[in-house]
């Protein structure tokens, strides 16, 4: 036991030696810091994480709880009408239904999730209610909607005219192929109507001033997916996992691959064994690549992790994954992740 603790300590000290507290790393390098820094920090997937982090920071900077921070943070992309992969305005399934997946977890193993939830704009808040007001972890479909309505959430049509138009365009061929979403800024390469991406998830991890960790993950999943398809995001241990003794992890990309490998749980367990967040994300990605060597050339999975000291790592299969980072020093950091393939697939 003490050997393991020593190993963990040595590894964390090693990791913190090459980056100063709160300083953004060189491109693609993992972020570390010493314990002396202000404890609060929030990270999240993709470039839309920058705005989400700022909403989370509004909570953290006032000494608020990490759980409130992640809930309020991810509500930003959930409400963003320009974001077609999370919340309202998400692209629908192949039958035209917008169905949302979300999960939330705290440092003590409390967690809640909803899957295939329709008509509710903020699935993350329903997930939190599942966690706090039911004896269950995951509610799905009709039952999740019924619970949300009982809890006072408003039933709405989440399919915007723009998303409906994109779906109708897709119906002309109805060709389904999860795009690898490797170039988040490079619209036009995906072959989707308007060049839009057909999936991307916000996964967020926060540590507050008291050192409390929490995570949240929310998505509309793969555009044009089969009705009833659920990805990794609402599956605790796949799209999100937090353990207060170790740290947290979240994922984005082709959810089926993450579920097959219990991805976020794996990242946290690797950190428990002494890996840095960066090493843990890399190992989890390589497990997927080793199992799916051919397929991995055309799919994207990215992991993002933070340990209980606020040290951060990220790794993806494809070039182009990025994560947003926000703390007392800088609120709008955006860091390109390292990846297996270093050039764009497209
Ligand atoms: N992981 C999400 C899902 O499979 C989609 C994504 O992050 O791109 O539903």
């Amino acid at each position: 036991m003490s050997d393991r603790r020593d190993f963990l300590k040595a590894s964390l000290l090693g990791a913190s030696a090459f980056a100063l507290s709160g300083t953004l790393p060189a491109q693609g390098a993992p972020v570390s810091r010493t314990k002396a820094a202000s404890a609060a920090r929030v990270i999240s997937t993709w470039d839309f994480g920058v705005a989400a982090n700022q909403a989370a920071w509004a909570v953290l900077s006032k000494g608020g709880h990490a759980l409130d921070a992640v809930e309020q943070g991810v509500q930003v992309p959930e409400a963003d009408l320009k974001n077609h992969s999370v919340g309202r305005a998400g692209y629908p399934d192949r039958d035209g239904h917008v169905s949302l997946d979300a999960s939330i977890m705290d440092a003590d193993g409390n967690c809640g999730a909803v899957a295939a939830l329709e008509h509710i704009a903020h699935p993350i808040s329903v997930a939190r209610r599942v966690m706090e007001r039911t004896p269950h972890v995951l509610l799905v479909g009709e039952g999740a909607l019924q619970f949300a309505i009982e809890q006072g959430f408003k039933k709405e049509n989440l399919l915007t005219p723009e998303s409906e138009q994109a779906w109708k365009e897709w119906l002309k061929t109805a060709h389904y192929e999860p795009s690898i979403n490797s170039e988040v800024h490079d619209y036009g390469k995906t072959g989707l109507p308007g060049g839009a991406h057909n999936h991307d998830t916000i996964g967020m991890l926060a540590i507050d001033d008291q050192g409390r960790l929490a995570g949240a993950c929310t998505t509309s999943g793969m555009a044009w997916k089969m009705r009833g398809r659920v990805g990794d995001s609402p599956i605790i241990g796949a799209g999100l996992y937090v353990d207060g003794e170790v740290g947290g992890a979240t994922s984005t990309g082709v959810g089926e691959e993450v579920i097959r490998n219990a991805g976020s749980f794996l990242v946290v367990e690797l950190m428990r064994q002494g890996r840095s967040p960066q090493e843990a994300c890399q190992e989890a990605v390589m497990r997927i690549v080793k199992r799916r060597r051919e397929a991995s050339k055309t799919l994207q999975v990215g992991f993002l992790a933070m340990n209980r000291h606020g040290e951060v790592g990220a790794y993806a299969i494809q070039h182009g994954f990025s994560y947003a980072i926000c703390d007392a020093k800088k609120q709008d950091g955006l860091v390109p992740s390292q990846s297996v393939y270093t050039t764009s697939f497209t």
Side-chain angles (χ1 to χ4, degrees), residues 70-81:
V70 295
E71 181 188 6
Q72 289 173 40
V74 303
Q75 283 178 347
V76 171
E78 281 185 341
D80 182 355
L81 296 183

Side-chain angles (χ1 to χ4, degrees), residues 78-91:
E78 281 185 341
D80 182 355
L81 296 183
K82 290 198 235 59
N83 187 325
H84 298 298
S85 55
V86 181
R88 189 192 294 279
Y91 283 151

